[in-house]
Amino acid sequence: AAAKGHVLWPAAGIVAGRFGEPGADGAPALGLTIRTRAEAQVTAPADGEIEFAGPFEGYGRLLILSPGEGYFVVIGGLGRLDAVEGQRVLAGEPLGTMAGSGAAGEALMYLELRRDGAPVDPLPWLAPAEANG
């Protein structure tokens, strides 16, 4: 909880979709969509343990990080994973890269924060200067 406002952005990018905004299906988004460059480096936003790392339908390769205190960080849209389940990582440590994305040279990351199973807006938790939107 002391990390609020200081959590690292997993990749440099621009917020393309915000928590609570209606998605394509009309349901409110449970996380952020961040537009990154294709194959951008993805790093751990906080110290923690990798709870899941693998393909997940609709999210490409997905990673779930447990930093403790009942929190989980979900990162989707990766093209390559360099972390494995059970691995302990430090904030800023490489986890993989974003997927490639055709001629546009962009990729979309999905970032979700959960506490005790409930979605929490991740934006107030992120350090202010590392991405914009």
Side-chain angles (χ1 to χ4, degrees):
K4 192 168 187 176
H6 303 286
V7 173
L8 301 177
W9 289 75
I14 295 177
V15 175
R18 295 179 184 272
F19 181 85
E21 289 182 344
D25 62 359
L30 301 179
L32 297 177
T33 300
I34 301 170
R35 183 174 289 113
T36 72
R37 67 174 173 76
E39 301 178 358
Q41 178 71 59
V42 178
T43 59
D47 297 354
E49 183 173 336
I50 306 298
E51 296 289 329
F52 177 84
F56 197 85
E57 189 173 333
Y59 293 92
R61 287 179 177 81
L62 184 102
L63 187 136
I64 300 176
L65 174 71
S66 172
E69 295 184 27
Y71 287 95
F72 291 91
V73 180
V74 179
I75 304 170
L78 288 95
R80 187 185 82 224
L81 285 167
D82 296 328
V84 296
E85 290 176 28
Q87 179 180 350
R88 298 254 341 134
V89 295
L90 300 175
E93 189 172 337
L95 300 175
T97 59
M98 290 299 297
S101 180
E106 296 178 336
L108 293 176
M109 171 185 285
Y110 177 72
L111 178 65
E112 187 174 297
L113 177 63
R114 290 189 162 261
R115 175 142 199 234
D116 298 327
V120 176
D121 184 355
L123 200 53
W125 289 82
L126 296 169
E130 297 199 32
N132 54 12

